[in-house]
Amino acid sequence: MPSRISLPVVAAGLFSGLMPSRAHAEQPGAVEAADPPDASAGSAPVDASVGAAPVRSGDAPAKSGSAAVVGTKAARGAPYRPEGKFRVHFDVDFLVQPRPNDYQEPPETTQVLRPMLGLGFGYGVHRHLVLGTRLAFNFHRSRDRTEAVLDNDLVSVTRGTAGAFLPYLEVLPIPAGRILPFISMRAGFVWQVVASRVTGGPPGAMVDTGSRGSWIGPTVGLGAGAHFFLAPACSLDISALFDVRWLFARGRELGDSAADPEPWKASQTMMNLGLGLGLSAWF
């Protein structure tokens, strides 16, 4: 009796063992869909490269979405950051003196000053700070003639030069971007020299006289504007300016009647409003 039962049982076990293998072989996608075997159960480790899609040599590894966004923002913001960069700038100031000038005859309520051309150097010492200095100059010359007969003509020539030495500090509320607003503070000194000479006249009564006036004094100023970056290394700079100047003056006569120069004395206090335009190179 035991021998009759054992043969069918063995045959049934073999048959049931063969059926899953055939069904599994007929479904090629079953390997991918099946769960990986649990290593803790003592099964053999599965090679991850088996069944994986081939990787071509030209393919780049894919980035996650967050990493790509962060990388894009960093690439866009980094070139327009003044921190750690040197600055060379060329600019011009257009200033207006809204109060009367004591040296004008007759005095006027408003005087437009000659533009001053400037060359400056700076450095981004901090993500919010740019420290630098600026040198500015202007020159002018005028020549007048009387309406008398040419032989008796009087010629008046006036030459003048002015300059400024202005260390400055810029505060940047936004440390990086294509448009960087700033508040500027500057302090230094300004100077000006104006000389005039009159020559000519009828024979026997020739005239050769002249005078020279000099002004120098400290100045402080404030400004507000923005750097508009045209390229990572170039910006257009626009600002509104206000400064105060405390001037000391002296004069002297030139020519045959020249005398010792006058001593320096307090001259006037000037308040100026204006507009600044410039170009900066950052490197």
Side-chain angles (χ1 to χ4, degrees):
M1 186 68 180
S3 61
R4 294 179 182 178
I5 297 176
S6 60
L7 183 58
V9 171
V10 173
L14 293 175
F15 182 78
S16 60
L18 292 175
M19 289 300 293
S21 301
R22 292 179 179 177
H24 193 73
E26 293 174 358
Q27 299 179 5
V31 176
E32 291 79 6
D35 295 333
D38 187 4
S40 62
S43 59
V46 179
D47 188 1
S49 62
V50 177
V55 179
R56 293 174 295 179
S57 59
D59 293 340
K63 291 184 178 180
S64 63
S66 59
V69 172
V70 172
T72 303
K73 290 183 178 180
R76 291 179 179 176
Y80 307 101
R81 184 187 302 273
E83 180 183 7
K85 294 183 179 180
F86 290 96
R87 178 192 181 198
V88 178
H89 53 98
F90 304 90
D91 47 43
V92 57
D93 289 349
F94 301 93
L95 299 178
V96 175
Q97 183 184 351
R99 59 179 295 176
N101 187 337
D102 299 337
Y103 287 88
Q104 288 179 305
E105 296 180 0
E108 300 178 2
T109 57
T110 302
Q111 179 186 10
V112 179
L113 304 183
R114 291 181 175 86
M116 298 191 71
L117 302 177
L119 170 64
F121 305 91
Y123 181 74
V125 296
H126 185 268
R127 61 197 301 261
H128 293 288
L129 298 176
V130 176
L131 182 65
T133 187
R134 176 176 179 265
L135 298 172
F137 299 93
N138 71 20
F139 306 92
H140 68 275
R141 181 182 183 276
S142 61
R143 187 173 185 270
D144 297 326
R145 304 186 66 166
T146 65
E147 297 179 356
V149 180
L150 185 61
D151 293 339
N152 301 331
D153 198 6
L154 291 176
V155 179
S156 174
V157 179
T158 302
R159 297 180 179 88
T161 179
F165 174 73
L166 300 170
Y168 66 84
L169 175 67
E170 286 188 358
V171 180
L172 307 174
I174 302 175
R178 294 293 295 267
I179 300 176
L180 297 182
F182 65 84
I183 299 172
S184 64
M185 295 167 280
R186 56 186 183 177
F189 62 91
V190 296
W191 70 89
Q192 183 177 9
V193 178
V194 177
S196 61
R197 196 177 192 94
V198 179
T199 58
M206 298 293 292
V207 176
D208 187 0
T209 61
S211 63
R212 183 175 67 188
S214 303
W215 294 264
I216 190 171
T219 179
V220 296
L222 295 173
H227 300 295
F228 298 87
F229 278 87
L230 309 177
C234 179
S235 67
L236 173 66
D237 312 320
I238 303 177
S239 60
L241 305 172
F242 170 76
D243 64 32
V244 183
R245 304 175 181 181
W246 296 271
L247 298 181
F248 297 82
R250 75 172 183 178
R252 65 173 302 178
E253 297 295 327
L254 302 176
D256 298 335
S257 60
D260 293 335
E262 301 175 359
W264 289 98
K265 62 181 179 180
S267 172
Q268 60 181 326
T269 300
M270 297 177 60
M271 297 184 182
N272 302 314
L273 298 174
L275 176 68
L277 299 175
L279 285 174
S280 294
W282 304 84
F283 55 92

